[in-house]
Amino acid sequence: MANSAQARKRARQASAQRDHNMSQRSELRTAIKKVRKAIEAGDKAAAQAVYQTSVSVIDSIADKQIIHKNKAARHKSRLSLAVKGMA
């Protein structure tokens, strides 16, 4: 356990920040799953619409440095290829 007031405060802050980051990461995973689900449903127009909203979520989370910008780019690229590859 933290012994000084400063260390106790840092422990509280770290816990709060961790909760916030986990929430953001969960939002990212949900956005990706929504696109995958739309692709599996087979409706290209709906998949493109969901993809556009998911891209903004992915970019937002990368801007906040919750994930690395290259990881965000990789997710966007793979989702885009999947949407474009629909029949």
Side-chain angles (χ1 to χ4, degrees):
M1 183 62 200
N3 290 322
S4 66
Q6 176 189 10
R8 284 191 293 273
K9 180 178 178 180
R10 286 304 304 159
R12 284 195 310 271
Q13 288 177 329
S15 176
Q17 190 62 45
R18 179 175 177 273
D19 291 343
H20 182 259
N21 288 347
M22 286 193 317
S23 170
Q24 294 288 300
R25 228 174 247 116
S26 175
E27 187 180 344
L28 170 76
R29 290 189 199 108
T30 302
I32 292 169
K33 285 177 194 172
K34 283 181 183 175
V35 177
R36 294 269 179 225
K37 193 172 184 180
I39 291 168
E40 288 175 12
D43 185 1
K44 190 167 185 173
Q48 286 174 330
V50 174
Y51 171 75
Q52 287 300 321
T53 59
S54 294
V55 164
S56 73
V57 169
I58 293 169
D59 284 337
S60 168
I61 291 170
D63 287 342
K64 295 173 189 170
Q65 297 180 350
I66 305 296
I67 62 169
H68 195 275
K69 61 183 174 132
N70 291 358
K71 180 175 182 172
R74 184 171 63 245
H75 280 300
K76 291 189 298 184
S77 175
R78 289 179 181 169
L79 291 173
S80 175
L81 280 174
V83 170
K84 287 179 182 175
M86 292 178 69

